[in-house]
Amino acid sequence: MIGTVGKGVALAGAAALAWGAGVERRWYATRHETLPLLRGEGRMRILFFADLHIAPGQGHRLDHVRRVAEQVQPDLLVSGGDNLEHPDAIRPVVALHEQLREVTGAPGLAVLGAHDRYGPRRGNPAAYLWQPSEGPRGEALDTHALVKGMEDSGWQVLCNDTSTVKTPAGVVEVAGVDDPHIERDDLSIIRPAGSVEDPVLRLGLTHAPYLRVLHGYDRAGFDLALAGHTHGGQLCIPWWGALVSNSDLPPSQAKGTSLIGTDLHLHVSAGLGHSVYYPVRFACRPELTVLDLVGR
């Protein structure tokens, strides 16, 4: 009896691994949400994607982002970091960002993640279940080439910086920190309300959703924060959800929209990619997000 149960468990595990590695990791989804966050009566559509983790041979992931952008025609593009998984990925990732601007005509905002600075390295995947990872810290990548390529095609890459962007709904005030997962964030750039006159939205960006950053945005009166990094848990329990967030954010908030404090809406993308060393997803489809923001 025990032997039969053990064989059943082993077969179920093998089937789950085959599904996660062979099917689900390429079964791309589009999450669509409507949030009443704009000041005034306008509307704004944001296309938000993160965690491409591109390596050679993964053009299908880039094609999916392009197709969705052409279909939904956003007013604002947001790229959430961790674009790279290999030095040869810089050129196709830059080309994607350039093409998104061309096919939509929308302005683009971006932040960086640790994988935009360092290549991946092997580790114990089980350690991920009880503590956040230490970051990739592998081969240094040509981050300058990535940023220059994106900026040359009209994207604003915010590494501990603030900006504004014009949309059909009005001016959006933006702050973007560098990746807090490797402690590159500078919270002093998060300014209180009144720094920009009459924005229709105050938008905070971070690759990794660490609470110190999110509470900073909340205290400063921001309306919306966008983050990636969590992969939505990547390996989830069906009908339960994520076990971990790879940060100090509660796993229950590892993907989708939730509240931080009383006023800050946080949207965490489950991301589109994965580490080359752990090419699997289970009960957590890769996805990007279309956010329709409407008047309050």
Side-chain angles (χ1 to χ4, degrees):
M1 181 67 176
I2 294 177
T4 302
V5 171
K7 288 180 181 178
V9 171
L11 287 172
L17 181 61
W19 168 264
V23 178
E24 187 165 340
R25 71 185 178 97
R26 292 184 60 166
W27 188 21
Y28 301 117
T30 301
R31 179 183 291 264
H32 196 157
E33 297 187 17
T34 300
L35 301 176
L37 295 179
L38 291 186
R39 297 171 177 85
E41 300 300 322
R43 298 180 66 91
M44 181 195 309
R45 172 166 286 182
I46 299 175
L47 176 64
F48 175 46
F49 61 95
D51 299 283
L52 291 171
H53 289 281
I54 294 297
Q58 295 177 341
H60 50 86
R61 198 171 300 147
L62 305 177
D63 292 340
H64 175 70
V65 181
R66 277 190 291 264
R67 282 195 300 270
V68 173
E70 289 177 332
Q71 292 167 0
V72 305
Q73 287 298 305
D75 302 305
L76 180 63
L77 299 159
V78 180
S79 177
D82 270 9
N83 297 281
L84 308 178
E85 199 74 5
H86 191 280
D88 293 342
I90 294 174
R91 184 171 296 178
V93 165
V94 167
L96 170 69
H97 284 79
E98 181 177 7
Q99 291 157 4
L100 293 179
R101 292 267 293 121
E102 290 174 352
V103 301
T104 67
L109 301 168
V111 289
L112 300 182
H115 283 263
D116 296 313
R117 300 184 184 278
Y118 304 102
R121 65 177 180 181
R122 289 187 183 274
N124 177 9
Y128 176 76
L129 296 175
W130 60 78
Q131 65 182 10
S133 67
E134 296 179 354
R137 301 295 189 182
E139 174 188 5
L141 301 175
D142 192 348
T143 308
H144 174 76
L146 172 68
V147 172
K148 185 178 187 303
M150 292 173 65
E151 291 181 339
D152 285 349
S153 55
W155 286 74
Q156 295 187 56
V157 183
L158 302 175
C159 296
N160 295 322
D161 205 353
T162 61
S163 186
T164 58
V165 61
K166 293 181 179 179
T167 74
V171 173
V172 176
E173 179 184 355
V174 190
V177 298
D178 208 342
D179 192 2
H181 190 57
I182 51 175
E183 300 182 344
R184 295 184 65 99
D185 52 306
D186 178 2
L187 303 188
S188 69
I189 62 100
I190 300 176
R191 300 182 294 183
S195 303
V196 174
E197 185 176 356
D198 297 329
V200 295
L201 180 75
R202 304 189 72 217
L203 175 63
L205 305 180
T206 177
H207 172 66
Y210 277 81
L211 291 175
R212 64 180 183 269
V213 177
L214 301 176
H215 288 318
Y217 284 138
D218 181 41
R219 287 192 298 268
F222 277 66
D223 306 302
L224 175 66
L226 299 179
H229 176 72
T230 66
H231 297 192
Q234 190 160 333
L235 303 177
C236 297
I237 297 177
W239 304 291
W240 175 268
L243 295 174
V244 294
S245 69
N246 200 21
S247 70
D248 59 359
L249 187 72
S252 61
Q253 296 176 274
K255 67 177 176 181
T257 302
S258 60
L259 278 177
I260 298 294
T262 56
D263 296 317
L264 178 69
H265 285 71
L266 166 68
H267 183 85
V268 180
S269 171
L272 287 162
H274 48 72
S275 167
V276 293
Y277 294 124
Y278 315 113
V280 62
R281 278 180 176 259
F282 187 76
C284 186
R285 289 174 63 184
E287 66 181 31
L288 48 63
T289 300
V290 177
L291 290 176
D292 281 329
L293 306 186
V294 298
R296 301 182 182 191

